[in-house]
Amino acid sequence: MNMAMRNKFVQQYANNYVETAVSEASPHKLVEMLYEGALKNLNLSKVFIEQKNHEKKAEFVNKALAILNSLRAGVDVQKGGEVAENLYGLYDYCYRRTLEASAKNDAEIVSEVIEHIKTLSEAWKAMPEDIKRSSKEQIEQMSA
């Protein structure tokens, strides 16, 4: 993860009132926090769709889209090969479906995206502890 990407993560979470946690987080923790933020904002989007509160829906959809975009931008397809391509594709799909859900005010589509992100989040949290604690430099050495 390069410095520009880390800065994008920091900006996203500054908006969610956790700037300090982000600045001290490992790369693994940053992605975990992005998943949590995406789920929080998608769930709030769904609530506001159901309440027909379009202004609040738009606010939280936009936050979810920004997080999904950050996740998508953080995938290194060149180094990650097929797994990275699949992950990028899933993030892209979730991004497009969230846009569609917003345009159609469709809470069911939001639920679908929530399930995809929950699955990714659970898998991410199940990673071995030594990987979770790795620094950016250690991760780059492992993939070299």
Side-chain angles (χ1 to χ4, degrees):
M1 190 173 350
N2 63 31
M3 188 55 104
M5 192 175 311
R6 185 174 179 93
N7 287 339
K8 284 182 184 179
F9 289 138
V10 171
Q11 282 181 333
Q12 183 60 44
Y13 275 90
N15 294 337
N16 291 317
Y17 310 105
V18 292
E19 185 175 342
T20 303
V22 170
S23 67
E24 297 173 359
S26 68
H28 183 276
K29 184 64 177 174
L30 287 171
V31 173
E32 185 177 315
M33 293 169 73
L34 286 170
Y35 285 145
E36 290 169 2
L39 289 169
K40 175 186 132 192
N41 287 295
L42 287 165
N43 278 305
L44 287 167
S45 298
K46 185 177 169 186
V47 167
F48 291 120
I49 286 172
E50 290 166 347
Q51 293 177 354
K52 300 188 185 328
N53 184 334
H54 302 295
E55 184 178 329
K56 285 290 192 183
K57 175 212 68 172
E59 176 184 341
F60 291 103
V61 163
N62 287 336
K63 288 180 181 184
L65 288 170
I67 293 170
L68 290 168
N69 194 46
S70 292
L71 286 164
R72 186 174 56 182
V75 176
D76 189 339
V77 178
Q78 302 243 339
K79 288 184 182 177
E82 185 179 346
V83 171
E85 287 176 17
N86 291 338
L87 187 58
Y88 183 92
L90 184 56
Y91 290 150
D92 189 59
Y93 176 79
C94 288
Y95 186 92
R96 288 182 287 111
R97 290 293 280 170
T98 301
L99 279 174
E100 181 181 353
S102 181
K104 294 180 176 179
N105 289 310
D106 190 329
E108 287 303 311
I109 296 173
V110 177
S111 293
E112 174 197 343
V113 174
I114 288 169
E115 287 308 310
H116 289 304
I117 300 301
K118 271 187 190 175
T119 300
L120 289 169
S121 179
E122 289 165 6
W124 193 256
K125 288 176 184 175
M127 244 185 234
E129 286 301 317
D130 58 328
I131 304 253
K132 289 181 184 180
R133 291 189 301 269
S134 297
S135 69
K136 172 189 160 203
E137 291 78 21
Q138 291 168 321
I139 292 169
E140 285 175 355
Q141 287 175 354
M142 283 187 254
S143 65

